[in-house]
Amino acid sequence: MIDPWASFDLDYDKLVNQFGIKKFSDVLDTIEDPLPLMERGVIFGHRDFDKIVPLVNNKKDFAVMTGMMPSGQMHIGHKMVIDQLKWYFKKGGQLSLAIADMESYAARNMSFEEGKRIAIEEYLANYIALGLDLTDDNINVYLQSQNRTLNELTYKIAKRVNFNNLNAIYGFDKSTNLAHLYAPLIQVADILLPQTEEYGGPKQVIVPVGIDQDPHLRLTRDIAAKLSEEFGFIAPASTYHRFLTGLTGDKMSSSKPKTAIYLNDTPKKAEKKVKSAKTGGRESLEEQKELGGQPDTCVIYEMLVYHLVDDDEELNKIREECLNGTLLCGHCKVHTAELMKDFFEDLHTKKEESLEIAKSLFD
Ligand code: TRP
Ligand code: SF4
């Protein structure tokens, strides 16, 4: 069982086999101009992505949706979702962005006021600073608690679900409070919302998420089938990306400061954190020169792959030189830290203005 509200260890191959998620590499060749995250295997799995491919290639008639639970700070790993949203938006997708203030009320004890503040100041400001123009007419950002259509839809969804269903998917038991039981139903509604009349009627929707969110997608696909006659809903497609490894070698997590580079860190701090990260280097210089480094277990290399190097040739060169022992970790770290610092400097020049825009979205 995958519990979306807990942390767990990951074996991506097992997940693909066990839950009927398909390998992303099977559809990769059919996508025109794919995102580097797709080509590099960071996005490793999907459901029904083959239905999205022609729409993306023709730039029409689909929506992309995702949601954020406002709790804690954003870290560099979250950038992955934004990169994907930008790509789909460029491909003509209509974008729907849920701020899950009801979920964080139920699962994280966050008040609606605090949830809204964090969503705006922390999440939306960063989304904008990272290049997503949330003021565009084709983008709908909403707070769960304030969207009437969403809440009406949630109620209709609730009628199609019983306790046994939720127990089987999430392991909820008789002591789970009812707001928490209701949270996944709201998320199902988030995912189906772009297909309601108000948002243009039934259409293909793609939901890019981390694997922890898959239980919600399975539930949504079930319910879409149950409601297809009444609303014409089509089962949503989804993709799954790997989580970024933290600086210590464990998963990067907002609640574990030692593992994370926060988007609010100063450029200097981000640079310093990169230099502190675990590498795939060998015990001694001699050994490294002889055996080469291990990029596939290196946090530094992962940062280059996920976030810092767009050019494949440049990346391959680093990989080669690491493997053959000509590139040494000290040098490689300094270079990577420099790239990270540049990225953060750029982000920070945009922060203030982005914050003003984010605030104005809910005036
Ligand atoms: N549950 C998600 C999280 O924990 C947030 C979320 C709410 C979401 N609605 C969504 C994600 C719809 C994807 C699609 O971050
Ligand atoms: Fe990682 Fe770079 Fe060292 Fe290779 S040389 S193990 S990529 S830090």
Side-chain angles (χ1 to χ4, degrees):
M1 187 177 299
I2 297 177
D3 177 352
W5 297 281
S7 51
F8 47 88
D9 287 331
L10 290 167
D11 179 338
Y12 294 109
D13 290 333
K14 215 158 148 198
L15 287 165
V16 169
N17 295 326
Q18 201 174 335
F19 290 106
I21 292 169
K22 299 273 174 9
K23 283 196 295 194
F24 198 82
S25 53
D26 293 344
V27 289
L28 183 63
D29 285 348
T30 61
I31 308 165
E32 284 166 25
D33 177 28
L35 197 63
L37 292 172
M38 297 172 170
E39 295 175 300
R40 296 176 183 180
V42 179
I43 296 167
F44 68 91
H46 76 95
R47 292 183 192 273
D48 278 353
F49 196 75
D50 39 323
K51 303 214 169 100
I52 299 295
V53 172
L55 306 175
V56 165
N57 286 348
N58 292 311
K59 301 195 172 170
K60 61 172 193 203
D61 300 335
F62 73 99
V64 50
M65 100 73 43
T66 195
M68 60 190 102
M69 179 160 66
S71 62
Q73 297 193 57
M74 278 183 88
H75 58 65
I76 180 88
H78 292 118
K79 171 173 170 285
M80 241 186 296
V81 176
I82 299 158
D83 288 341
Q84 294 177 66
L85 295 176
K86 277 159 65 180
W87 186 81
Y88 287 113
F89 191 60
K90 206 177 72 191
K91 297 286 183 186
Q94 160 191 328
L95 202 157
S96 185
L97 203 54
I99 299 169
D101 61 340
M102 292 174 80
E103 183 183 9
S104 60
Y105 183 87
R108 298 279 188 262
N109 287 319
M110 185 76 68
S111 71
F112 286 153
E113 292 75 20
E114 186 65 356
K116 180 175 175 180
R117 188 191 65 76
I118 294 178
I120 292 173
E121 294 180 9
E122 184 62 33
Y123 287 74
L124 298 181
N126 277 314
Y127 274 52
I128 296 166
L130 288 168
L132 202 58
D133 178 11
L134 297 182
T135 63
D136 193 289
D137 284 346
N138 273 321
I139 302 186
N140 175 37
V141 189
Y142 63 90
L143 286 150
Q144 285 176 333
S145 66
Q146 289 181 10
N147 190 313
R148 168 100 206 210
T149 310
L150 181 84
N151 282 278
E152 280 175 10
L153 180 58
T154 308
Y155 197 69
K156 291 173 186 164
I157 288 164
K159 186 162 161 61
R160 306 294 182 134
V161 182
N162 64 35
F163 181 77
N164 287 332
N165 305 138
L166 295 182
N167 173 264
I169 299 176
Y170 302 102
F172 290 154
D173 62 32
K174 287 176 185 159
S175 69
T176 308
N177 76 68
L178 299 190
H180 199 167
L181 283 184
Y182 204 65
L185 309 183
I186 303 165
Q187 182 154 347
V188 169
D190 282 329
I191 297 172
L192 295 174
L193 191 70
Q195 300 196 57
T196 57
E197 283 314 314
E198 189 178 333
Y199 296 95
K203 64 177 70 61
Q204 292 285 349
V205 178
I206 171 74
V207 191
V209 285
I211 191 71
D212 59 317
Q213 298 297 304
D214 187 53
H216 302 310
L217 277 137
R218 276 182 277 145
L219 180 61
T220 306
R221 290 164 64 88
D222 269 4
I223 292 174
K226 288 182 183 164
L227 294 178
S228 70
E229 210 164 300
E230 192 178 345
F231 295 97
F233 289 152
I234 302 166
S238 48
T239 61
Y240 304 95
H241 48 255
R242 289 171 196 271
F243 290 112
L244 190 72
T245 310
L247 301 170
T248 52
D250 302 324
K251 189 184 149 190
M252 189 173 287
S253 162
S254 294
S255 57
K256 295 187 197 130
K258 280 208 165 64
T259 66
I261 299 178
Y262 296 109
L263 294 182
N264 282 338
D265 285 340
T266 60
K268 263 226 131 25
K269 189 154 188 190
E271 181 188 14
K272 226 171 119 191
K273 283 187 174 178
V274 171
K275 286 186 181 157
S276 79
K278 195 173 156 282
T279 71
R282 306 283 178 178
E283 293 284 315
S284 68
L285 263 182
E286 290 72 52
E287 216 180 301
Q288 176 118 356
K289 283 182 184 160
E290 194 183 313
L291 301 170
Q294 304 163 96
D296 295 325
T297 56
C298 177
V299 176
I300 296 284
Y301 186 71
E302 201 186 77
M303 283 179 197
L304 297 171
V305 172
Y306 281 49
H307 295 299
L308 297 174
V309 179
D310 272 341
D311 181 14
D312 287 337
E313 241 171 80
E314 189 184 334
L315 190 68
N316 277 334
K317 187 162 169 269
I318 294 171
R319 187 183 176 80
E320 283 302 303
E321 293 183 358
C322 169
L323 284 170
N324 70 22
T326 48
L327 180 63
L328 300 178
C329 294
H331 181 75
C332 186
K333 264 186 173 179
V334 169
H335 174 64
T336 306
E338 194 67 28
L339 291 176
M340 189 66 89
K341 185 165 141 248
D342 291 348
F343 168 79
F344 269 75
E345 268 166 5
D346 185 48
L347 186 64
H348 279 259
T349 58
K350 294 176 181 148
K351 260 305 176 44
E352 211 169 306
E353 194 193 348
S354 303
L355 181 60
E356 289 313 308
I357 299 171
K359 282 182 178 162
S360 74
L361 291 172
F362 289 99
D363 282 348

